[in-house]
Amino acid sequence: MPSIPRLLLVCVLAIFAFSGCETVQTAFRSGLPQTVTIDSVPASAEVYINGDYYGITPVTTELPRKVTHEVVIERDGYVLQREFFTPQRNELSQSYIRFGIMEDLGLYFDLTPGDMVTEIRHSLIPVVVSNEPFEEMTYRVMLADALLESGSISKKEHSVIYEKLTRFYTTN
């Protein structure tokens, strides 16, 4: 863990490194950026942060550390997943002596989770059991088979879907 004088120096240098007043104002309002990683299981899902497109998982980016960020992960055939990065006080905030500039720049906060791995649920996996579970399971397995045959999903995805369907219908 870096020492307080060292972090203070980093803060001061960071302020001078900003080229425009608007950037400095943003840093004071939202905090200096923190590097975060967003991944999904399965991979290759689209990532939107605060409504802006960021790419295909896995995504590594920097986000201001003093504000909450909404992350939406979506992929064709899967249920849209909504997660959040939230600012939480870190170890530095527990110090007896705290510096105002570090508070202003958000260095007493870390976004949690730092790395986000989200399991997205395929739309074939039900949430509740119907009145005819055997028929429903058979139908969903046939749909998964058709997706595999058409190349819409990989063999691995098919295997995972089949496993989850089996687990769902045998435990509910």
Side-chain angles (χ1 to χ4, degrees):
M1 182 166 108
S3 67
I4 298 295
R6 184 182 218 179
L7 282 173
L8 187 58
L9 177 63
V10 169
C11 291
V12 171
L13 291 176
I15 291 172
F16 288 116
F18 290 121
S19 59
C21 289
E22 185 175 324
T23 305
V24 173
Q25 290 174 354
T26 300
F28 278 107
R29 182 176 53 254
S30 303
L32 289 175
Q34 174 183 327
T35 302
V36 296
T37 301
I38 303 157
D39 205 353
S40 64
V41 177
S44 302
E46 295 179 340
V47 175
Y48 296 86
I49 303 173
N50 301 324
D52 296 325
Y53 178 74
Y54 272 71
I56 304 293
T57 58
V59 170
T60 299
T61 191
E62 293 186 340
L63 297 174
R65 57 180 65 225
K66 285 175 46 178
V67 294
T68 299
H69 303 278
E70 178 187 54
V71 179
V72 173
I73 301 169
E74 60 182 19
R75 182 175 172 185
D76 285 343
Y78 289 79
V79 177
L80 180 138
Q81 187 71 32
R82 190 176 318 274
E83 303 283 346
F84 293 90
F85 283 111
T86 56
Q88 301 289 321
R89 290 211 171 260
N90 58 27
E91 290 179 16
L92 288 176
S93 70
Q94 306 305 316
S95 301
Y96 184 71
I97 298 174
R98 289 188 290 200
F99 298 94
I101 189 78
M102 290 176 65
E103 182 82 39
D104 293 340
L105 292 174
L107 292 175
Y108 292 127
F109 293 91
D110 288 329
L111 292 173
T112 58
D115 294 325
M116 178 183 291
V117 179
T118 302
E119 185 173 338
I120 51 179
R121 185 174 56 82
H122 198 279
S123 59
L124 287 177
I125 310 302
V127 178
V128 295
V129 179
S130 72
N131 293 336
E132 300 292 336
F134 180 76
E135 287 80 7
E136 182 181 32
M137 180 181 171
T138 303
Y139 174 72
R140 289 177 185 271
V141 167
M142 290 173 41
L143 286 176
D145 292 345
L147 289 172
L148 176 63
E149 288 177 23
S150 72
S152 298
I153 60 173
S154 68
K155 287 182 180 181
K156 184 176 180 178
E157 285 177 283
H158 181 269
S159 177
V160 169
I161 291 168
Y162 183 82
E163 176 189 325
K164 289 184 178 186
L165 282 170
T166 303
R167 189 177 326 127
F168 178 82
Y169 284 106
T170 56
T171 59
N172 288 317

